[in-house]
Amino acid sequence: MIVLHQIDPIALSLGPFKVHWYGVMYLLAFASAWLLGQRRIRAGRLPGTDANGYSDLLFYGMLGVVLGGRLGYVLFYAMGDALRDPLMVVRVWDGGMSFHGGLIGVLIACWMWSRRQRLHFFDTMDFVAPVVPLGLGFGRIGNYIGGELWGKYTGGNWGVVFPSGLPAEYQALDPAALRAQFDAGALDAFARHPSQLYQAFLEGLVMFCVLWWFSSRPRPRYAVAGMFALLYGCFRFLVEFVRVPDAQIGYLAFGWLTMGQLLSLPLVLLGLFLLWRSHGAPVLQPVIPADGGKA
């Protein structure tokens, strides 16, 4: 089955005020992190922290995701665009966020919060890791709705036709004319892998299920964070094989190595190291707050 992607990126318009689906997905991501984190707080998964403490941590994390994600995208993928148009750095609603940049931002934010709370940094990261994947999934759905970061041609009778990935003569058509061309079968050869949805499934749903289960009983320090890094690095590396690299960068080597794969390799190594480091490390036992985690 071949689908023509014609989704309006604007979810709601109220005069000059417009709400983009990309922003809605970020709100859902942060909402899911808040709800899941509150549940883990009530279960005593981060002793010494209550609901107010977690709210502060989430605020730090939100800043880390947005600032790190955007700056990482500019640094890794769009430095040339930023030099030509510096204001593009703040136009987050146009898309363009880097997971690896966001991860660095979150690590810095969690380190700052942990230091203030006098907690071990990796106790915080082990706590945070299971609440992140659903947010990643929502972000990838936002990529799909925005018609960005699409995959390679499927070469078969299935896939998604993304208007932004069509030749110029088709991109110039209005939506109705483009639909007519699609109905006539003229666009079938341009059907692509919906790699955003592959990532939403693997990085979002699968990672969430595995990490939530893995962290359902006490694990040694470093283990949960290590599992997160290993899973994400492997999933991202694999999906990159069917995802089109950023046009301004292309393939880095061998005719297949992408920037996403290059940035994911350190995560795989870090995940393996943390899982090895977890052997013999202390196990943080749950301590349910006297107020049930409410504050």
Side-chain angles (χ1 to χ4, degrees), residues 170-295:
Y170 290 114
Q171 291 191 35
L173 299 176
D174 61 58
L178 189 64
R179 169 61 65 174
Q181 290 290 322
F182 173 76
D183 291 338
L187 307 182
D188 289 358
F190 303 108
R192 296 179 179 273
H193 288 275
S195 55
Q196 315 96 323
L197 299 184
Y198 300 167
Q199 291 184 264
F201 175 71
L202 293 173
E203 300 166 12
L205 183 59
V206 174
M207 274 185 58
F208 169 72
C209 291
V210 172
L211 288 172
W212 196 260
W213 165 80
F214 186 69
S215 64
S216 62
R217 66 183 181 88
R219 301 286 180 178
R221 181 179 289 159
Y222 310 109
V224 181
M227 184 65 74
F228 175 95
L230 178 62
L231 287 176
Y232 181 87
C234 290
F235 288 156
R236 176 67 182 270
F237 193 92
L238 290 174
V239 174
E240 287 284 323
F241 281 111
V242 296
R243 177 172 153 178
V244 174
D246 292 76
Q248 68 274 26
I249 297 178
Y251 293 110
L252 302 180
F254 316 121
W256 56 266
L257 182 67
T258 67
M259 178 64 79
Q261 288 174 319
L262 183 64
L263 294 174
S264 294
L265 286 175
L267 281 178
V268 174
L269 297 176
L270 175 63
L272 292 172
F273 171 76
L274 292 176
L275 288 171
W276 171 81
R277 181 71 175 80
S278 70
H279 291 288
V283 178
L284 191 66
Q285 297 295 332
V287 178
I288 299 177
D291 61 357
K294 300 177 182 178

Side-chain angles (χ1 to χ4, degrees), residues 18-284:
K18 292 178 172 44
V19 178
H20 290 71
W21 279 113
Y22 205 72
V24 172
M25 292 300 112
Y26 264 78
L27 288 177
L28 290 175
F30 291 132
S32 68
W34 186 83
L35 291 171
L36 294 172
Q38 292 293 342
R39 182 170 177 175
R40 286 177 62 76
I41 287 292
R42 291 193 296 271
R45 295 296 183 181
L46 192 59
T49 304
D50 59 14
N52 285 335
Y54 178 66
S55 295
D56 290 341
L57 174 59
L58 185 60
F59 176 73
Y60 276 62
M62 289 169 61
L63 291 179
V65 167
V66 175
L67 296 178
R70 189 59 175 177
L71 292 176
Y73 172 78
V74 171
L75 177 63
F76 299 139
Y77 300 100
M79 181 61 75
D81 293 338
L83 292 176
R84 289 189 295 271
D85 178 18
L87 290 179
M88 68 83 64
V89 176
V90 300
R91 291 200 295 270
V92 180
W93 54 88
D94 288 339
M97 298 287 281
S98 164
F99 165 82
H100 299 90
L103 177 62
I104 293 172
V106 169
L107 291 175
I108 294 172
C110 288
W111 176 80
M112 294 173 60
W113 182 87
S114 299
R115 187 176 180 184
R116 286 188 58 189
Q117 300 295 318
R118 298 183 179 179
L119 294 173
H120 195 287
F121 171 67
F122 274 101
D123 288 341
T124 302
M125 296 312 301
D126 287 340
F127 172 84
V128 167
V131 310
V132 172
L134 285 186
L136 295 179
F138 284 124
R140 294 308 180 189
I141 292 173
N143 294 146
Y144 177 78
I145 292 174
E148 60 180 2
L149 307 182
W150 19 259
K152 300 176 181 178
Y153 296 130
T154 63
N157 59 352
W158 65 279
V160 179
V161 176
F162 294 94
S164 57
L166 291 172
E169 61 268 25
Y170 290 114
Q171 291 191 35
L173 299 176
D174 61 58
L178 189 64
R179 169 61 65 174
Q181 290 290 322
F182 173 76
D183 291 338
L187 307 182
D188 289 358
F190 303 108
R192 296 179 179 273
H193 288 275
S195 55
Q196 315 96 323
L197 299 184
Y198 300 167
Q199 291 184 264
F201 175 71
L202 293 173
E203 300 166 12
L205 183 59
V206 174
M207 274 185 58
F208 169 72
C209 291
V210 172
L211 288 172
W212 196 260
W213 165 80
F214 186 69
S215 64
S216 62
R217 66 183 181 88
R219 301 286 180 178
R221 181 179 289 159
Y222 310 109
V224 181
M227 184 65 74
F228 175 95
L230 178 62
L231 287 176
Y232 181 87
C234 290
F235 288 156
R236 176 67 182 270
F237 193 92
L238 290 174
V239 174
E240 287 284 323
F241 281 111
V242 296
R243 177 172 153 178
V244 174
D246 292 76
Q248 68 274 26
I249 297 178
Y251 293 110
L252 302 180
F254 316 121
W256 56 266
L257 182 67
T258 67
M259 178 64 79
Q261 288 174 319
L262 183 64
L263 294 174
S264 294
L265 286 175
L267 281 178
V268 174
L269 297 176
L270 175 63
L272 292 172
F273 171 76
L274 292 176
L275 288 171
W276 171 81
R277 181 71 175 80
S278 70
H279 291 288
V283 178
L284 191 66

